[in-house]
Amino acid sequence: MAETAQKQAFTCSRCKAVEQVDVYPGVNVAADPQLREKVRDGSLFVWECPHCGTRNLARYPFLYHDPDAKLMVWLLPDGQMLPEAMQEQLETVSDRLDGYTLRRVGDVGSLIEKIAIREADLEDTVIEMVKYVTRMELIEKNRAKEAALIDVPMKFYRMEGPDNEMVLSFPLDGAMHGVHVGFNVYEDCRGILMRNPSVKPDAGFARIDSTWISKFFR
């Protein structure tokens, strides 16, 4: 059954006008395939102020569900809390979803990344280690920018070429940069994680990001 949009009030970041905006608390892309692309490109979360024309990001809890890929991602914007009853309901549902990848993210960019990783038939736990290794290599090559690179928010962007090279993107010095990583790095990282079974997601909707991987590799 397709989800129905609900109205929620948001304040324009520029003119401070308050507008009622259509939001979707969740989307099952099997039932709502037309919304898949809007989630993937982020447009589902953008609204334009009718007074000044500013495009704003609507930050609200959202549940993405792809039953074919067995992926469920719970977007809970940083600093926001779900009602306790709803949180308990989601955690209860997670116990019945055998074979699913269940994730929690704090921003729209991370939601889009989780979808891209799954559609590339990759594992986000391995991708986090790939990003960790790549960041360390960049720091080694660019000692002058070490402090900036340590905390740079790196994202999986896409795979390309006949050798399945991975492209990671990250902001630095006010611009977006990309780095190409060979698929052999992914395979090496996957092997390391397989040999270290203690490096695994928590139960339920796990948050898999740079903070998670840094607990195991320092």
Side-chain angles (χ1 to χ4, degrees), residues 1-213:
M1 183 176 177
E3 287 283 348
T4 302
Q6 301 177 5
K7 293 290 187 181
Q8 186 170 333
F10 291 95
T11 302
C12 176
S13 59
R14 183 179 181 184
C15 71
K16 308 306 179 185
V18 177
E19 292 296 321
Q20 294 291 325
V21 178
D22 285 339
V23 302
Y24 291 84
V27 167
N28 180 325
V29 296
D32 283 306
Q34 73 277 11
L35 293 179
R36 180 193 294 267
E37 287 303 316
K38 290 187 176 182
V39 176
R40 290 178 62 192
D41 64 17
S43 60
L44 190 70
F45 307 96
V46 176
W47 64 278
E48 184 174 312
C49 178
H51 302 281
C52 67
T54 299
R55 291 172 62 82
N56 297 277
L57 181 65
R59 300 175 70 253
Y60 60 93
F62 172 84
L63 187 65
Y64 178 89
H65 182 198
D66 185 342
D68 294 330
K70 291 192 173 182
L71 174 68
M72 193 174 283
V73 185
W74 173 18
L75 166 61
L76 184 60
D78 292 330
Q80 294 191 20
M81 296 292 292
L82 276 182
E84 186 174 341
M86 185 178 295
Q87 184 166 341
E88 290 177 355
Q89 182 180 9
L90 281 172
E91 295 298 342
T92 300
V93 167
S94 72
D95 294 335
R96 303 197 300 267
L97 295 173
D98 289 340
Y100 262 74
T101 296
L102 305 175
R103 296 293 182 258
R104 179 168 57 91
V105 297
D107 59 85
V108 173
S110 296
L111 167 63
I112 294 171
E113 181 190 35
K114 295 298 181 186
I115 298 169
I117 291 171
R118 173 48 62 93
E119 292 184 350
D121 199 25
L122 302 174
E123 300 174 44
D124 64 341
T125 51
V126 181
I127 288 294
E128 287 304 325
M129 187 169 183
V130 169
K131 290 192 286 187
Y132 177 86
V133 169
T134 302
R135 183 181 290 108
M136 293 302 104
E137 290 180 351
L138 288 173
I139 290 173
E140 187 66 29
K141 294 176 182 177
N142 300 274
R143 284 295 184 183
K145 296 182 177 181
E146 179 175 352
L149 286 166
I150 286 176
D151 296 318
V152 66
M154 192 173 286
K155 299 289 188 186
F156 171 83
Y157 182 50
R158 64 171 183 259
M159 294 178 70
E160 62 180 31
D163 297 324
N164 290 329
E165 220 177 23
M166 294 173 293
V167 181
L168 307 179
S169 62
F170 59 94
L172 189 65
D173 297 333
M176 289 301 298
H177 299 261
V179 57
H180 290 71
V181 182
F183 192 70
N184 61 299
V185 177
Y186 179 89
E187 293 176 320
D188 290 344
C189 288
R190 187 168 186 269
I192 292 172
L193 293 184
M194 290 179 66
R195 293 191 295 273
N196 292 272
S198 62
V199 184
K200 62 181 180 180
D202 294 330
F205 286 83
R207 188 157 184 167
I208 304 299
D209 52 19
S210 59
T211 300
W212 172 80
I213 195 68

